[in-house]
Amino acid sequence: MPVSAAVTSIGLVVMWSSGFIGAELGTREAPADTLLMWRFLAAAAILGGAWALFRRRRLRPRALAEQAAIGALSQGGYLGGIVWAVGLGVPSGTAALIAALQPLAAGALAGRLLGETVSPRQWAGLTIGLGGVALVVQGDLSAGPTTAPAWAYGLPFAAMAALLAASFLERRARAPLAPVDAIPLHCLVSAVLFTAVALVGGHAAPPAGGGFWAAVAWTVLLSTVGGYGFYWMSLRRNGVTGTSALIYLTPPTTLVWAYAMFGDAPGWTALAGMAVCVIGVTAATVRRPVRRRPDRSARLAEEPVRDRAVSRVPAE
């Protein structure tokens, strides 16, 4: 039974935003590369094992190559860039705002690369949504100078570009796979990448505390299976522009997560930003019903043959 558009959109926003909470939980216990390594090792083992047991089938070499590239960009490139930037001292709000440029970039490129039409109303919604994200993270943006090197601010841009490139590759794939087949492969590729990074950095050994493994379980189930699963489903249902617009709702949703789990109450500016984000995403994603003009040929077809015949007799 196919998942409805509303469930797909809500699932994407809620599950995608859970990744920031999982990162907070995990990096309290261990370095970021340790968390990413064990997150994707566990995800690859669980999802790969389930695929081999229940879904095992032969995959075309082209599909394997395409999905390996998509996984390296969407998980390795995106998560690696964001986490690395924050680890170097870039404020998380600044990183989130830079990553939130993705919908505007997607709208600019979708027409040329995919033939997706972006209407003026969608452009307005994308712009409004970006303003809402800025309001949500303004406290982080106004925190003052940081210790991060200047080049570290390029990492969120690279992460945003990696996820965008993965989205375009998936839409143009010659041998597309369903998410149930693609995500285990993405996780395997990411596990190899992050294991190499952790080994080089000397951070491969996990801590002994149970809090770390709770964070790993959180990121595997909610962020990887849920977040990326809904992302690829939304990409096929809503296209690149519509899916990217939904990402604007993840910073406000992350604030709700943080308040529920850590007691971090959002300020009035953040609440206003949430409302602006909702307005922008609504304008960018909700389609207006198309009014069709009456079909004259259909009306004529319903007229009695006798009446049409009489109407063709010239007046005397």
Side-chain angles (χ1 to χ4, degrees):
M1 179 179 175
V3 180
S4 69
V7 172
T8 301
S9 299
I10 295 172
L12 169 62
V13 172
V14 173
M15 295 302 178
W16 194 267
S17 61
S18 73
F20 297 96
I21 301 302
E24 173 70 19
L25 293 171
T27 52
R28 290 180 177 183
E29 306 289 336
D33 52 354
T34 307
L35 174 65
L36 290 170
M37 169 186 167
W38 288 101
R39 166 183 173 173
F40 284 106
L41 283 175
I46 294 171
L47 296 180
W51 184 91
L53 185 61
F54 300 108
R55 180 80 176 179
R56 184 176 55 197
R57 65 191 184 95
R58 185 181 297 276
L59 301 178
R60 296 169 55 187
R62 177 185 287 274
L64 292 174
E66 289 176 344
Q67 295 302 322
I70 291 170
L73 289 168
S74 66
Q75 295 185 351
Y78 177 73
L79 291 174
I82 294 295
V83 173
W84 190 11
V86 174
L88 289 171
V90 176
S92 57
T94 303
L97 182 61
I98 295 173
L101 294 173
Q102 181 201 355
L104 291 176
L109 297 174
R112 293 185 177 183
L113 299 181
L114 300 177
E116 293 185 7
T117 302
V118 184
S119 66
R121 181 170 57 86
Q122 286 180 305
W123 278 119
L126 293 175
T127 306
I128 292 170
L130 182 61
V133 173
L135 286 174
V136 170
V137 302
Q138 64 83 31
D140 203 358
L141 294 174
S142 60
T146 67
T147 59
W151 62 267
Y153 287 85
L155 292 174
F157 284 101
M160 178 268 292
L163 183 60
L164 188 60
S167 302
F168 282 116
L169 283 177
E170 200 283 332
R171 292 286 286 176
R172 296 293 295 270
R174 297 285 187 87
L177 294 178
V180 70
D181 295 315
I183 292 179
L185 182 58
H186 296 174
C187 291
L188 178 61
V189 172
S190 300
V192 173
L193 290 175
F194 288 121
T195 297
V197 171
L199 287 173
V200 170
H203 300 149
F212 174 79
W213 295 111
V216 168
W218 175 286
T219 55
V220 169
L221 296 177
L222 299 182
S223 310
T224 301
V225 178
Y228 279 96
F230 280 113
Y231 184 85
W232 299 120
M233 284 194 294
S234 177
L235 198 64
R236 296 190 177 187
R237 178 184 291 271
N238 302 320
V240 172
T241 305
T243 298
S244 298
L246 291 170
I247 300 299
Y248 279 150
L249 294 178
T250 56
T253 308
T254 301
L255 288 183
V256 177
W257 276 109
Y259 176 67
M261 298 194 63
F262 308 129
D264 298 335
W268 287 107
T269 305
L271 293 175
M274 293 182 188
V276 173
C277 285
V278 171
I279 294 171
V281 172
T282 301
T285 58
V286 175
R287 299 177 181 177
R288 292 180 178 177
V290 178
R291 293 183 178 180
R292 296 184 177 181
R293 302 178 67 178
D295 191 345
R296 184 173 181 274
S297 61
R299 180 171 54 83
L300 289 175
E302 295 176 357
E303 291 181 0
V305 176
R306 180 178 54 82
D307 292 345
R308 295 206 304 268
V310 171
S311 65
R312 287 195 292 267
V313 177
E316 297 182 353

